[in-house]
Amino acid sequence: MKVLKFGGTSVGSPERIKHVASLITRERRNVVVLSAMSGTTNSLVEIAEYLYKGNVPGAQETLNALHAKYMAVIEQLLGTMQGKAKAASAIGRVFSLLRSYFSETLTEAGEKEILAQGELMSTALMQCYLEEQGINSVLLPALDYMRTLQSGEPDMQHINARLRRMIDLEPDADIFLTQGYICRNDHGGIDNLKRGGSDYTASIIGAVLEADEIQIWTDIDGMHNNDPRFVEGTKPVSSLHFEEAAELAYFGAKILHPSCVLPAKLHNIPVRLLNTLEPEAPGTVIFNTTPDRKLKAIAAKDNITAIKIKSGRMLLAYGFLHKVFETFENHRTSIDMIATSEVGVSVSVDDDSRLAAIVDDLKHFGTVTVDRDMVIICVVGDLEWESCHFQSQVLAALADIPVRMISYGGSNYNISVLVRREDKIRALKALSDKLF
Ligand code: ADP
Ligand code: ASP
Ligand code: MG
């Protein structure tokens, strides 16, 4: 059994949905995870924002546009009157539910229910289409099995038991269809796995079912060696180690949600990144490869703040770093990069919501300097330190670009540098030119 996940653009129009249907029916009894049609979750976020602000007409306008879009999709997707009626009634129920929020004060639980509707609609439409095509597709409602613990981590035991039972009850099913992204929390309320979280759904399902493979189908032919949104001429990387993929995903390679790597890695299940628009392209396979000492790819993570704490008393002062880290822990802010010297330490964070309070606390231990609007550029590969030239190649490529921090040695898989936002694209291009 395989798990196949299709992202928003892959199911973004009636033609795309039909095309995905042709891909998923090539083999029997796989689990197919769908995201919301592209743009839908953003519209739902917008509706919730309007409602929080008490702007019901704003919410109404966004909702009406979305409803019209879905009615047009139904018209083109389904061929029979019966199919159209069934789909229209499923979609109609969703929009009635959304409208019911217009007359009450929005709560967090309400917002979560609103955000869940995109995946519920895309799977309902696909189910109607597959039924019309005579395919025995069984819809596995994610809200019946996908659950997180109080910690926010997936409740693997619960998911395993529920999902296996639901699948076992359907021995004749050709295909199992389910929603990405959405889940229930430990209180049983509707929740989600964060934006882009359908990849995580696929990985969790792959792990609990011990799948042969997890396929992430998207709009590009695999993980490219640099960010194709900013650099021309990037190329797909044929294989990556789980650790390399984790670094790239965490440091900005949007093709993969960072949480997606761990469940697959722990259960040793290969993850294949494939292109819906070019299904025969080899894409990228992620698994426990053997070391190959190669530079693989570059990624960038935006909106980083660097904080430097200088202390004259740091010399031989054990406990200094502990106090610094404790400050960040107290403010529940995680650190991305670290660089230390005898007189100070620099760290970077991507969440600056508690920055003022953190800086205030850090001033007890030394002089504090803050640099905002920075970008982490991350060069990833099998970069064993004994193969001397990787670090020098990276720094040589960046010879003309001011570098605020450098980090290597946390793992064998990444060299990270921190640069100013305005230097990001120049740095990405320079690295591509020199390294590939
Ligand atoms: P989906 O909706 O299918 O989940 P995403 O938009 O989340 O798709 O991810 C695919 C996009 O990721 C690509 O269209 C591409 O612009 C972007 N991307 C960023 N970095 C990379 C990379 N290194 N390789 C491939 N795609 C990347
Ligand atoms: N629909 C959700 C989002 O847009 C989840 C996903 O696409 O993975 O974030
Ligand atoms: Mg995605």
Side-chain angles (χ1 to χ4, degrees):
M1 175 182 268
K2 293 178 189 150
V3 180
L4 283 62
K5 175 258 167 177
F6 292 84
T9 22
S10 299
V11 291
S13 69
E15 298 74 43
R16 302 270 94 232
I17 296 176
K18 289 181 189 177
H19 178 58
V20 167
S22 73
L23 294 175
I24 60 182
T25 46
R26 298 196 293 193
E27 291 174 357
R28 282 196 77 238
R29 290 187 76 75
N30 287 333
V31 179
V32 175
V33 177
L34 299 188
S35 294
M37 294 179 74
S38 55
T40 299
T41 310
N42 286 347
S43 297
L44 295 170
V45 168
E46 200 174 290
I47 289 170
E49 280 170 359
Y50 279 128
L51 292 180
Y52 271 130
K53 294 191 167 78
N55 181 351
V56 175
Q60 185 85 54
E61 203 172 309
T62 308
L63 181 126
N64 288 345
L66 195 63
H67 199 172
K69 173 180 154 178
Y70 274 87
M71 294 318 286
V73 170
I74 290 172
E75 204 39 52
Q76 291 173 45
L77 179 67
L78 295 147
T80 63
M81 291 309 287
Q82 211 182 358
K84 287 186 210 282
K86 193 168 177 190
S89 115
I91 298 302
R93 275 196 298 278
V94 167
F95 281 91
S96 302
L97 174 93
L98 291 172
R99 278 201 186 87
S100 73
Y101 280 104
F102 288 15
S103 52
E104 49 187 81
T105 312
L106 192 62
T107 61
E108 205 181 316
E111 179 191 356
K112 297 277 174 62
E113 184 166 35
I114 292 176
L115 295 188
Q117 302 310 311
E119 274 67 14
L120 292 168
M121 291 199 284
S122 62
T123 46
L125 290 177
M126 179 65 90
Q127 180 68 10
C128 288
Y129 180 71
L130 291 173
E131 273 175 21
E132 210 179 67
Q133 301 302 304
I135 291 151
N136 186 8
S137 162
V138 168
L139 191 59
L140 304 170
L143 299 179
D144 290 354
Y145 68 87
M146 190 58 78
R147 188 169 82 179
T148 52
L149 299 162
Q150 200 187 359
S151 61
E153 294 295 312
D155 184 346
M156 296 302 253
Q157 270 182 345
H158 171 92
I159 299 165
N160 191 353
R162 285 281 183 116
L163 193 55
R164 281 183 187 270
R165 198 176 328 130
M166 288 161 82
I167 289 176
D168 289 345
L169 285 173
E170 301 288 350
D172 298 327
D174 292 329
I175 280 184
F176 296 99
L177 195 61
T178 192
Q179 298 88 10
Y181 176 62
I182 63 175
C183 63
R184 288 195 186 271
N185 54 34
D186 58 316
H187 303 302
I190 297 178
D191 214 316
N192 60 63
L193 301 172
K194 313 251 162 59
R195 293 304 304 270
S198 297
D199 298 348
Y200 194 21
T201 303
S203 185
I204 294 168
I205 295 176
V208 299
L209 298 180
E210 299 288 340
D212 300 322
E213 187 168 288
I214 297 160
Q215 298 181 349
I216 307 288
W217 288 82
T218 182
D219 57 359
I220 188 163
D221 55 343
M223 176 73 79
H224 277 220
N225 59 6
N226 206 328
D227 195 320
R229 293 168 297 181
F230 305 110
V231 179
E232 278 173 27
T234 59
K235 296 207 170 64
V237 179
S238 61
S239 70
L240 287 170
H241 192 282
F242 278 119
E243 306 283 350
E244 294 170 328
E247 301 277 6
L248 287 167
Y250 184 74
F251 287 107
K254 193 185 169 230
I255 184 169
L256 202 60
H257 191 276
S259 316
C260 163
V261 177
L262 194 60
K265 180 183 152 193
L266 291 178
H267 291 78
N268 211 8
I269 299 168
V271 176
R272 203 175 287 277
L273 308 180
L274 293 162
N275 187 354
T276 322
L277 308 167
E278 218 183 305
E280 306 313 326
T284 300
V285 62
I286 304 165
F287 61 122
N288 284 312
T289 48
T290 43
D292 59 5
R293 303 279 188 272
K294 281 192 187 134
L295 281 167
K296 302 283 173 45
I298 301 156
K301 187 172 178 187
D302 300 326
N303 299 321
I304 303 292
T305 302
I307 305 159
K308 187 194 293 174
I309 309 105
K310 269 177 71 176
S311 166
R313 285 169 289 132
M314 192 175 162
L315 181 74
L316 299 180
Y318 56 82
F320 177 79
L321 284 179
H322 170 73
K323 282 188 227 156
V324 169
F325 291 148
E326 197 176 39
T327 306
F328 286 88
E329 188 186 329
N330 291 343
H331 292 285
R332 303 174 69 82
T333 299
S334 70
I335 293 171
D336 282 332
M337 275 177 84
I338 311 169
T340 63
S341 85
E342 182 50 39
V343 293
V345 53
S346 271
V347 301
S348 80
V349 299
D350 67 351
D351 171 10
D352 64 358
S353 57
R354 305 277 306 150
L355 188 64
I358 291 171
V359 169
D360 220 40
D361 287 356
L362 288 173
K363 282 183 177 162
H364 290 113
F365 316 126
T367 317
V368 183
T369 326
V370 173
D371 292 297
R372 287 174 173 273
D373 290 330
M374 310 294 287
V375 175
I376 296 178
I377 307 256
C378 176
V379 179
V380 169
D382 176 33
L383 314 176
E384 240 290 329
W385 64 273
E386 281 138 328
S387 327
C388 341
H389 47 273
F390 294 126
Q391 298 95 320
S392 58
Q393 276 181 298
V394 169
L395 293 179
L398 298 173
D400 299 329
I401 294 165
V403 172
R404 165 72 177 78
M405 277 171 81
I406 304 173
S407 173
Y408 169 73
S411 80
N412 281 343
Y413 298 100
N414 124 18
I415 302 173
S416 300
V417 295
L418 192 69
V419 301
R420 295 181 304 210
R421 180 174 56 188
E422 56 267 39
D423 294 327
K424 167 182 165 176
I425 295 179
R426 203 154 63 91
L428 288 176
K429 286 183 176 157
L431 285 164
S432 254
D433 287 349
K434 292 274 168 28
L435 302 181
F436 304 124

